[in-house]
Amino acid sequence: MKKEMVNPRNAYGETLIDLGKKHSNLVVLDADLSKSTKTIMFAKKYPDRFFEMGIAEANMISTAAGFASCGKIPFVSTFAVFATGRVYDQIRMDIAYSNSNVKIFATHGGISVGKDGASHQMIEDIALMRVLPNMTVFAPSDATQTRKIVEIMAENFGPMYARVGRANSPLIYKKEDLSNLKIGKAITVKDGNDISIIACGTMLDHVIDASNELKKIGINARVIDMHTIKPIDENIILKSAKETKAIITAEEHSIIGGLGSAVSEILAERNCKCKFKRIGVKDIFCESGEPADLFEKYRLNAKHITKIIKDLLK
């Protein structure tokens, strides 16, 4: 069955317009990439509430903090590599330390940026953001969930970070599936008692495909969508450790500091005895190339996830 493909960046731009109607104090800032991040949609609809900051990301973050101090709800956007790494000090001091109501929505996260190469393949952003006090961290898995999470970001106070990829991605959810979506509450997409696969972002679709292949050989995989990396859903991790034989995490991010690290911290602190493995980018910078080729080379697609799980359960 052919999957319906929708770009989460488009979902972001469209949702900003909807939120602009609802919240007259919502403003949007971009750093010379509004066509790519899709904030240009908001700019055309609400030009008086859109601020093109140019290639000055640090200034954009501090300006957003200023807006927040005046009662605005600022959304700031650029590529993930610029939204976190280039401006870390400003995020730390002006947003996290100050507990400012600023929403950072980054696009072009992970290695699926592809031919832009290692310099633009941001695989450290989740690690950078989740270590900051006061910061909430999201990784939406499809366009439908992106819409819902952007709404949640606008309607809840505090510093928040969300990242999506560049490419079109398969629709996993319908709108009604996410009516009860909450910060820090993961979604059990598929139930199973042999192994739990905890995924986030673009990896959820690959994990679902892998679980379907595993089903053919009698392995029932529980698939969990950990859309909120911080605060993480500790209860579902411990439940999975108790009820299944192993846990695997899957993320389009470094295995250091991201989802895998967050889950392993819970398992270690609670002295859980289940088998555990992280799937993600190893401690390397990746090559430039087509996204599908990169997912194959770095063992992030359904074929490799299936093999890793089969080997783990032997």
Side-chain angles (χ1 to χ4, degrees), residues 85-158:
R86 178 172 289 184
V87 296
Y88 197 70
D89 186 50
Q90 283 73 26
I91 293 174
R92 183 177 184 271
M93 297 307 299
D94 293 345
I95 297 179
Y97 179 79
S98 304
N99 198 29
S100 298
N101 191 34
V102 176
K103 319 302 176 181
I104 306 171
F105 190 95
T107 66
H108 295 65
I111 66 171
S112 54
V113 172
K115 289 184 176 181
D116 286 352
S119 65
H120 280 50
Q121 293 168 4
M122 189 55 170
I123 56 171
E124 315 98 76
D125 54 320
I126 291 173
L128 289 171
M129 292 298 101
R130 83 177 187 93
V131 76
L132 289 171
N134 296 323
M135 186 68 70
T136 299
V137 181
F138 300 104
S141 57
D142 76 346
T144 309
Q145 193 176 77
T146 298
R147 294 178 191 275
K148 185 64 176 180
I149 284 177
V150 173
E151 292 171 0
I152 287 173
M153 292 171 76
E155 293 168 1
N156 289 270
F157 184 88

Side-chain angles (χ1 to χ4, degrees), residues 2 15 33 53 60 67 105 117 130 152 184 201-202 224 227 233 254 257 262 265 268 280 290 293-294 299 311:
K2 190 174 181 180
T15 306
L33 288 169
M53 305 302 293
M60 178 174 70
F67 273 125
F105 190 95
R130 83 177 187 93
I152 287 173
T202 55
I224 295 168
H227 52 79
D233 190 341
S254 171
E265 289 160 11
E290 295 291 347
D293 294 337
L294 296 176
R299 299 166 59 88
D311 292 344

